[in-house]
């Protein structure tokens, strides 16, 4: 079974609107972390936001927020007020404590922001 | 403070040739990782290291070897390159696994684009 699933291969969003990127995960480890990375066309991996499995509140970082639904095993990324510079690939990743600090990545979602 | 750097940025090899990719970090991180990213896919872990002198296999280790002789450097070697190893290779580092929080975040290098003909 896939550990990290991103079901949206690509999506368009209008500039200044919000967009939600889906991520579901599968683990039996009670202690884990969920990460979102952005990969622009230049290729580098940019860390955006982190959510720990024991965190009581959803993580937020500027325009990024993580909608963490533990029972559903989902960790969706919400980007508010989209900007043209948000056009990129977005990857969800999970770290399971029992597996050390190794990250398992989803297949990614490509976001294109339209002016 | 350069973060994570990778050398070279691009390389073209012929089948059967060997090469070494160098990753260096100046953040005093204990953990270092090598990933590969194939077109349209996420990253897959090749090998990783939890400290100087240690290495361990990841998800896709076959055809690769690694060494961590110094804390700041992590080398990835291809002894006999194959076309299936054409990919973009990313190195990453993190502080440790002990802290259960964002301090565990992995920071990535810019990547090395390798083509094997």
């Amino acid at each position: 079974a896939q550990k990290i699933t991103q079901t949206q291969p690509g999506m368009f969003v209008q500039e200044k609107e919000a967009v939600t990127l889906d991520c579901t995960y599968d683990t039996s480890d009670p202690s884990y972390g969920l990460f979102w990375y952005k990969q622009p066309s230049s290729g580098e991996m940019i860390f955006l936001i982190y959510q720990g499995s024991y965190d009581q509140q959803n993580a937020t970082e500027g325009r990024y927020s993580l909608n963490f639904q533990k029972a559903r095993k989902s960790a969706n990324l919400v980007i508010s007020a989209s900007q043209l510079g948000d056009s990129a690939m977005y990857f969800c990743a999970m770290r399971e404590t029992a597996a050390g600090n190794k990250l398992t990545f989803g297949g990614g979602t490509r976001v294109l922001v339209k002016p | 403070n350069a973060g994570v750097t990778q050398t070279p940025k691009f390389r073209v090899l012929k089948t059967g040739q060997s090469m070494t990719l160098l990753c260096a970090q100046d953040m005093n991180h204990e953990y270092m990782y090598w990933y590969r990213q194939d077109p349209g896919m996420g990253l897959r872990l090749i090998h990783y290291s939890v400290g100087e002198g240690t290495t361990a296999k990841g998800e896709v280790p076959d055809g690769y070897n690694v060494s961590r002789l110094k804390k700041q450097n992590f080398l990835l070697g291809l002894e006999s390159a194959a076309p299936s190893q054409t990919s973009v290779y990313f190195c990453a580092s993190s502080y440790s696994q002990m802290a259960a929080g964002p301090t565990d975040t992995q920071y990535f290098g810019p990547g090395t684009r390798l083509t094997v003909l």
Side-chain angles (χ1 to χ4, degrees):
Chain A
Q2 293 277 359
K3 280 191 174 286
I4 295 284
T5 303
Q6 295 180 251
T7 57
Q8 307 152 308
M11 52 198 310
F12 290 99
V13 59
Q14 199 67 40
E15 191 177 11
K16 300 181 184 177
E17 291 186 350
V19 60
T20 298
L21 308 184
D22 295 340
C23 174
T24 58
Y25 59 92
D26 181 29
T27 181
S28 57
D29 190 344
S31 177
Y32 54 90
L34 296 156
F35 300 77
W36 277 91
Y37 284 86
K38 172 184 178 181
Q39 187 178 42
S41 58
S42 51
E44 71 268 32
M45 296 289 287
I46 302 168
F47 165 69
L48 295 178
I49 195 167
Y50 166 88
Q51 179 83 46
S53 59
Y54 295 119
D55 293 344
Q56 295 297 313
Q57 293 187 321
N58 287 346
T60 61
E61 289 286 347
R63 294 187 298 111
Y64 304 108
S65 60
L66 204 151
N67 183 3
F68 181 46
Q69 298 187 43
K70 195 170 182 177
R72 293 187 173 185
K73 293 188 175 179
S74 73
N76 298 340
L77 176 71
V78 180
I79 306 174
S80 63
S82 296
Q83 302 171 355
L84 296 178
D86 294 335
S87 294
M89 281 288 287
Y90 289 82
F91 291 98
C92 179
M94 176 174 65
R95 182 202 69 230
E96 297 164 288
T97 300
N101 200 19
K102 301 188 293 293
L103 285 178
T104 302
F105 283 82
T109 296
R110 181 172 297 281
V111 172
L112 289 177
V113 180
K114 299 186 292 183
Chain B
N1 189 342
V4 181
T5 58
Q6 293 182 231
T7 309
K9 287 186 170 52
F10 302 93
R11 186 71 186 267
V12 178
L13 291 178
K14 294 182 180 178
T15 298
Q17 287 185 317
S18 63
M19 78 162 293
T20 301
L21 281 66
L22 170 64
C23 175
Q25 54 92 6
D26 61 2
M27 297 175 282
N28 202 34
H29 283 169
E30 290 292 333
Y31 280 57
M32 296 187 74
Y33 315 81
W34 276 107
Y35 294 89
R36 60 177 290 173
Q37 184 181 28
D38 298 319
M41 296 178 65
L43 280 67
R44 291 183 294 168
L45 183 66
I46 304 171
H47 286 281
Y48 66 102
S49 167
V50 302
E52 183 179 323
T54 74
T55 62
K57 294 180 180 180
E59 183 185 353
V60 287
D62 294 341
Y64 305 94
N65 57 75
V66 288
S67 64
R68 183 100 181 268
L69 298 180
K70 293 182 179 180
K71 185 177 182 179
Q72 64 267 35
N73 295 339
F74 195 29
L75 305 178
L76 177 71
L78 287 73
E79 290 188 349
S80 180
S84 60
Q85 294 177 304
T86 294
S87 190
V88 179
Y89 291 84
F90 286 96
C91 176
S93 70
S94 67
Y95 180 63
S96 77
Q97 70 170 1
M98 300 308 293
T103 53
D104 279 355
T105 299
Q106 291 186 21
Y107 293 93
F108 285 80
T112 294
R113 187 173 296 275
L114 174 66
T115 302
V116 183
L117 302 175

